[in-house]
Amino acid sequence: MRKASRLFEIIQILRLARKPMTAAVMAETLEVTVRSIYRDIAALQAMRVPIEGGRGIGYIMRPGFDLPPLMFSIEEMEAIVLSLALLERTADEELKQAARRVNQKIAGAVPAPLRQAMDNKALYAWGSIAQPAGFDLAIVRRAIRDERKLMLGYRDELGRASERTIRPVALIYYSQTANIVAWCELRQAIRNFRSDRVERCTTSEDFFKGDGDRLRELWTSGWTEKTVPA
């Protein structure tokens, strides 16, 4: 177990303990040596975690201490790092900028051992980067949240142009592009619209309030031809 993970687990053990916990018991639980526990306790105390006690007596956590809201295990931190890296490969510029801000906020909030997991550049997302869409995908995400209709100028795989009014319910991100899942008022069915084939995307004055969950259920249930392109 890595040191950052051990520190997190020791805090959890002491927070939940009803009586002093000896280093031997914690060492057995975490499958490390007693000496490692002593070093970790000293490190936590240096970080002003209110742990009291000593060798042969056991350790307790003073009442009132709680973990910061952004305390993660090392594996959780690695999951965040990789997720943020994957966002960098999408064509959604607003989400990419948001991912960078999230990275900065987390790095400023977590303890130094966990911050190292963000800075060591050991995890990468590889592969092609999606080409920018001809419009801002943030428009689609807002329309999904607001349950607002969109008007598309769309060209299918054969190059045929059409005008569509849609009720967007989901966005699927691929390495090459993003697909808008929506109820198409022209086809009267759920359809997938590739973002790289959208020539124009504008918001409508019309809404479909209260209908988004029902349409997503139709899509995920298989009732409609959810894999059929527009």
Side-chain angles (χ1 to χ4, degrees):
M1 180 180 289
R2 298 178 186 179
K3 181 176 180 179
S5 295
R6 287 201 315 272
L7 296 180
F8 177 81
E9 293 298 334
I10 289 171
I11 290 175
Q12 292 287 60
I13 289 170
L14 294 177
R15 285 180 65 239
L16 299 174
R18 297 181 179 273
K19 61 181 181 180
M21 299 289 292
T22 65
V25 170
M26 288 187 280
E28 183 178 359
T29 301
L30 300 178
E31 299 181 344
V32 296
T33 66
V34 172
R35 182 174 295 181
S36 293
I37 297 296
Y38 287 144
R39 285 198 297 262
D40 292 341
I41 292 289
L44 288 169
Q45 289 172 330
M47 294 164 60
R48 298 186 178 180
V49 177
I51 298 173
E52 297 179 347
R55 301 187 182 194
I57 301 171
Y59 297 92
I60 60 172
M61 183 89 69
R62 283 206 306 267
F65 178 80
D66 204 354
L67 290 172
L70 285 177
M71 176 66 82
F72 301 102
S73 69
I74 191 70
E75 289 76 18
E76 291 167 341
M77 185 60 69
E78 288 176 340
I80 292 171
V81 169
L82 186 55
S83 299
L84 295 177
L86 288 169
L87 272 176
E88 286 288 342
R89 313 201 74 72
T90 72
D92 195 321
E93 190 58 38
E94 187 178 76
L95 277 187
K96 288 196 288 188
Q97 292 177 8
R100 293 164 196 155
R101 293 195 300 271
V102 168
N103 201 321
Q104 293 171 352
K105 287 181 179 179
I106 293 175
V110 300
L114 291 178
R115 194 177 306 126
Q116 292 173 2
M118 304 187 73
D119 297 337
N120 64 12
K121 308 300 182 186
L123 297 178
Y124 291 86
W126 204 252
S128 59
I129 299 176
Q131 295 299 309
F135 65 100
D136 191 352
L137 286 170
I139 296 173
V140 181
R141 287 188 284 103
R142 284 193 287 269
I144 292 171
R145 291 196 300 267
D146 298 339
E147 296 186 333
R148 186 169 189 165
K149 296 181 182 181
L150 294 174
M151 296 177 292
L152 303 184
Y154 191 73
R155 194 171 293 276
D156 66 16
E157 60 184 353
L158 298 179
R160 298 172 297 199
S162 62
E163 299 292 322
R164 307 291 184 100
T165 298
I166 64 171
R167 303 176 190 183
V169 296
L171 259 177
I172 304 174
Y173 289 86
Y174 297 96
S175 59
Q176 299 87 4
T177 185
N179 275 12
I180 306 168
V181 180
W183 177 266
C184 177
E185 296 192 350
L186 176 65
R187 302 300 186 199
Q188 287 295 294
I190 294 286
R191 289 291 185 266
N192 289 332
F193 297 87
R194 286 183 52 141
S195 61
D196 55 355
R197 294 177 184 165
V198 175
E199 298 181 333
R200 185 182 67 261
C201 178
T202 57
T203 55
S204 169
E205 296 300 318
D206 298 325
F207 293 82
F208 55 101
K209 291 290 188 182
D211 204 28
D213 288 340
R214 182 187 68 84
L215 292 174
R216 272 185 290 275
E217 186 176 346
L218 288 177
W219 172 54
T220 57
S221 67
W223 181 83
T224 61
E225 299 170 284
K226 63 182 179 183
T227 60
V228 175

